[in-house]
């Protein structure tokens, strides 16, 4: 594992694209929520106080939702670039010619997304705890730890988005096409398909599309307020339960990695 990670690091340690995207994530993940301090100085009566953004235990949810967007964009693009750039520069082919078998090459990418996920989760935990401690009066260890498995859900969310990016990278291989499809699917296409399904067949199954399951690991906290209204109309809520999102995201991640591996083994390099 460490040998393969070392090879990945040596290949991309001086790459400006990977470096810039990762740096943006490192800077924005812990600081973007502070923008809300200025935007939401006062909130309408029907919304909770802006204090919930920064205090325990709700800060876990708001920091997680911010990380949801940043992970899907910055880290997803990093994974796609790391694969498609190697295809374009023939580095993938050269690695196999130099003695690295397909299994080790693929595992190197998988270990990389696991490492990125762990690193992103560590940033999430540290920044959430620091900001929460600064803004919460009378906090204690029990209140800080009242996260409802948020760090674990955050890690799975990162794995879900990056394993999907890995799948797109290995199947499409063209950088522009892969990034375009990834962005369109994550941001728009699946949402459109879900609404078409609700229009044609209003059923709870609309919540179990892959990106929605992954997103519901760290959903928009405000959607919890609207869940009861949706239930009154459709007999099901907007959000998947935490347990459902955890199980679903694990299954989808395994599926994404399995399809990516199958594609990689069946195609020329």
């Amino acid at each position: 594992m460490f040998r393969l990670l070392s090879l990945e690091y040596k290949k991309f340690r001086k790459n400006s694209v990977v470096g810039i995207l990762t740096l943006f994530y490192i800077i924005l993940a812990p600081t973007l929520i502070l923008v809300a301090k200025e935007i939401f100085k006062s909130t309408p009566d029907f919304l909770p106080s802006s204090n919930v953004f920064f205090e325990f235990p709700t800060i876990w949810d708001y920091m997680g939702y911010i990380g949801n967007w940043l992970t899907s964009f910055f880290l997803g693009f990093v994974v796609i670039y790391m694969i498609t750039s190697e295809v374009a520069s023939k580095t993938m082919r050269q690695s196999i010619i130099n003695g690295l078998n397909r299994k080790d090459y693929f595992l190197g990418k998988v270990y990389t997304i696991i490492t990125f996920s762990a690193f992103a989760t560590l940033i999430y935990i540290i920044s959430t705890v620091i900001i929460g401690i600064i803004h919460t009066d009378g906090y204690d260890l029990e209140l800080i730890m009242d996260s409802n498995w948020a760090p674990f859900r955050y890690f799975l969310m990162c794995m879900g988005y990056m394993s999907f990016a890995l799948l797109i990278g290995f199947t499409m291989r063209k950088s522009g096409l892969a990034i375009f499809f990834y962005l369109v699917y994550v941001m728009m296409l699946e949402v459109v398909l879900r609404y078409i399904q609700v229009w044609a067949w209003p059923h709870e199954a609309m919540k179990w599309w892959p990106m929605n399951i992954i997103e519901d690991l760290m959903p928009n906290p405000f959607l919890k307020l609207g869940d009861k209204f949706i239930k009154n109309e459709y007999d099901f809520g907007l959000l998947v339960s935490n347990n459902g999102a955890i199980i679903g995201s694990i299954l989808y991640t395994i599926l994404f990695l399995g399809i990516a591996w199958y594609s990689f083994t069946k195609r020329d390099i």
Side-chain angles (χ1 to χ4, degrees):
M1 175 179 179
F2 293 108
R3 180 179 69 89
L4 296 176
L5 282 174
S6 176
L7 290 175
E8 294 296 318
Y9 174 73
K10 289 176 181 177
K11 282 189 286 187
F12 293 100
R13 64 182 175 179
K14 295 182 179 180
N15 187 283
S16 58
V17 175
V18 174
I20 291 172
L21 290 174
T22 304
L23 182 62
F24 270 119
Y25 182 88
I26 293 171
I27 294 173
L28 293 176
T31 61
L32 197 58
I33 195 173
L34 300 178
V35 177
K37 256 190 168 180
E38 301 300 321
I39 297 177
F40 297 103
K41 280 185 176 180
S42 61
T43 56
D45 293 337
F46 64 89
L47 291 177
S49 167
S50 61
N51 293 336
V52 300
F53 297 151
F54 314 105
E55 295 178 345
F56 290 117
T58 47
I59 187 174
W60 289 105
D61 295 331
Y62 289 95
M63 287 290 285
Y65 182 60
I66 289 171
N68 195 326
W69 281 93
L70 295 177
T71 299
S72 64
F73 187 82
F74 290 110
L75 299 188
F77 278 23
V78 165
V79 173
I80 291 175
Y81 176 80
M82 290 177 71
I83 297 168
T84 57
S85 65
E86 288 206 64
V87 174
S89 64
K90 310 297 183 182
T91 310
M92 177 186 291
R93 177 180 298 176
Q94 192 62 44
S95 296
I96 304 300
I97 292 174
N98 290 343
L100 197 67
N101 59 47
R102 291 195 186 219
K103 178 182 176 181
D104 285 342
Y105 181 89
F106 184 81
L107 284 177
K109 301 303 182 188
V110 174
Y111 293 152
T112 299
I113 67 172
I114 292 174
T115 303
F116 267 115
S117 297
F119 180 67
T121 304
L122 183 62
I123 293 175
Y124 167 65
I125 294 171
I126 293 173
S127 57
T128 300
V129 170
I130 292 175
I131 295 172
I133 287 175
I134 292 172
H135 292 87
T136 305
D137 295 328
Y139 66 87
D140 55 27
L141 184 59
E142 183 179 357
L143 185 61
I144 294 174
M145 298 296 291
D146 185 15
S147 64
N148 201 14
W149 292 88
F152 179 61
R153 289 186 284 121
Y154 195 92
F155 175 82
L156 290 180
M157 178 198 72
C158 294
M159 284 294 300
Y161 281 125
M162 286 192 279
S163 63
F164 182 66
L166 190 81
L167 166 62
I168 300 302
F170 272 116
T171 53
M172 294 192 168
R173 299 197 177 193
K174 301 287 186 181
S175 180
L177 179 62
I179 290 175
F180 175 77
F181 180 82
Y182 174 83
L183 181 63
V184 168
Y185 186 85
V186 171
M187 302 296 179
M188 292 183 291
L189 181 58
E190 184 175 287
V191 176
V192 172
L193 293 174
R194 287 174 60 220
Y195 276 108
I196 292 174
Q197 179 187 332
V198 171
W199 173 78
W201 182 45
H203 189 272
E204 191 174 9
M206 60 86 64
K207 299 191 296 186
W208 295 90
W209 288 71
M211 293 302 105
N212 188 65
I213 287 286
I214 294 168
E215 181 182 347
D216 278 1
L217 287 165
M218 284 292 169
N220 184 343
F222 287 114
L223 292 181
K224 297 177 182 178
L225 301 175
D227 233 18
K228 61 181 179 181
F229 300 108
I230 299 297
K231 286 180 180 179
N232 291 336
E233 184 173 355
Y234 291 110
D235 295 326
F236 59 87
L238 282 170
L239 301 176
V240 179
S241 67
N242 284 339
N243 288 340
I246 288 171
I247 294 171
S249 63
I250 291 173
L251 294 176
Y252 273 124
T253 297
I254 294 172
L255 178 64
F256 295 154
L257 294 178
I259 297 174
W261 167 246
Y262 180 82
S263 175
F264 181 51
T265 56
K266 296 300 180 180
R267 297 176 63 181
D268 293 334
I269 57 171

